[in-house]
Amino acid sequence: NAGVTQTPKFQVLKTGQSMTLQCAQDMNHNSMYWYRQDPGMGLRLIYYSASEGTTDKGEVPNGYNVSRLNKREFSLRLESAAPSQTSVYFCASSAGQGSLRGYTFGSGTRLTVV
Amino acid sequence: GQQLNQSPQSMFIQEGEDVSMNCTSSSIFNTWLWYKQEPGEGPVLLIALYKAGELTSNGRLTAQFGITRKDSFLNISASIPSDVGIYFCAGQNYGGSQGNLIFGKGTKLSVKP
């Protein structure tokens, strides 16, 4: 089925370790997004890529980096994981910024930093 | 930046009851959307609203785009156990980063059979 695929689904890291969360979409969407979800905090935008070749900071970018590898793929990197980054991470895509069809979300990566 | 206030935060209801939740903003939006997130999954779009005053239904779900463009409402009639999840509202404007969705913090719905 068409959609947004995130890997891995679960991950446990030790403080200070690094890792990259992968995201790929097969809907030929131009824009991609990374969110984190914490209890009671809703969905907070970390970084987004309005189109291939561009990336911008969202609401909570500190401690993260992103790469828009090509039109399909948008990765999120934690260089030195901290317990505060324990969260569920969602990747999403849309036809473009301001697309009236909203976003399509992946099923999430559950990250625990110990 | 823009923020959305979504209420209630959580609801515990009996199967068959109707549910109402709403979202308000201090500034206007051109589009309102409602998403549902089931346990262990990502949010899925339920309803999109594009015009002030618009009332749109999707099965037992009905959503309205407030006349002031600063609020939106979602109603679920005759709830069933599979309605369980977190419901998010989202507002959107046009142009550049304004086109990014702004999400409410969600309403967690629990349905007792």
Side-chain angles (χ1 to χ4, degrees):
Chain A
N1 289 338
V4 178
T5 303
Q6 290 184 237
T7 56
K9 291 192 182 299
F10 301 94
Q11 184 72 50
V12 178
L13 289 179
K14 293 183 179 178
T15 298
Q17 285 186 317
S18 62
M19 81 161 293
T20 299
L21 281 63
Q22 307 287 353
C23 175
Q25 52 89 11
D26 58 5
M27 296 171 286
N28 200 35
H29 281 171
N30 290 309
S31 301
M32 298 184 74
Y33 312 83
W34 275 105
Y35 284 87
R36 62 177 289 174
Q37 183 179 25
D38 303 291
M41 300 295 289
L43 294 161
R44 293 185 292 170
L45 183 63
I46 304 171
Y47 271 94
Y48 66 98
S49 171
S51 59
E52 186 179 356
T54 70
T55 61
D56 285 287
K57 294 178 180 180
E59 181 186 356
V60 288
N62 292 345
Y64 305 95
N65 286 300
V66 290
S67 295
R68 184 74 183 266
L69 304 170
N70 47 55
K71 191 172 185 179
R72 289 186 64 246
E73 298 172 288
F74 188 39
S75 63
L76 178 72
R77 182 160 179 83
L78 287 71
E79 290 291 350
S80 178
S84 61
Q85 294 178 305
T86 293
S87 188
V88 182
Y89 292 85
F90 288 100
C91 177
S93 70
S94 71
Q97 278 187 309
S99 168
L100 299 182
R101 294 184 175 273
Y103 298 173
T104 301
F105 284 85
S107 58
T109 295
R110 283 144 187 84
L111 175 68
T112 301
V113 183
V114 297
Chain B
Q2 290 176 305
Q3 292 188 343
L4 297 184
N5 296 309
Q6 188 172 350
S7 64
Q9 239 180 331
S10 61
M11 302 181 75
F12 297 86
I13 62 169
Q14 198 77 32
E15 181 177 0
E17 290 183 355
D18 296 342
V19 172
S20 291
M21 59 190 80
N22 68 80
C23 215
T24 60
S25 172
S26 57
S27 50
I28 63 173
F29 285 104
N30 291 313
T31 302
W32 283 94
L33 305 103
W34 285 91
Y35 284 83
K36 178 188 178 185
Q37 182 183 26
E38 297 189 356
E41 297 296 328
V44 173
L45 182 65
L46 295 173
I47 292 177
L49 302 156
Y50 304 114
K51 189 177 173 182
E54 181 181 354
L55 188 72
T56 297
S57 294
N58 179 3
R60 293 178 295 104
L61 277 62
T62 302
Q64 185 162 24
F65 191 143
I67 290 290
T68 65
R69 295 167 65 194
K70 292 183 179 181
D71 55 9
S72 181
F73 306 86
L74 177 69
N75 295 315
I76 305 173
S77 62
S79 59
I80 59 178
S82 62
D83 289 334
V84 164
I86 302 175
Y87 292 79
F88 290 100
C89 61
Q92 184 180 39
N93 285 317
Y94 304 139
S97 63
Q98 296 292 318
N100 291 344
L101 296 185
I102 307 295
F103 285 91
K105 293 186 177 180
T107 295
K108 187 173 183 179
L109 179 64
S110 301
V111 180
K112 188 175 179 182

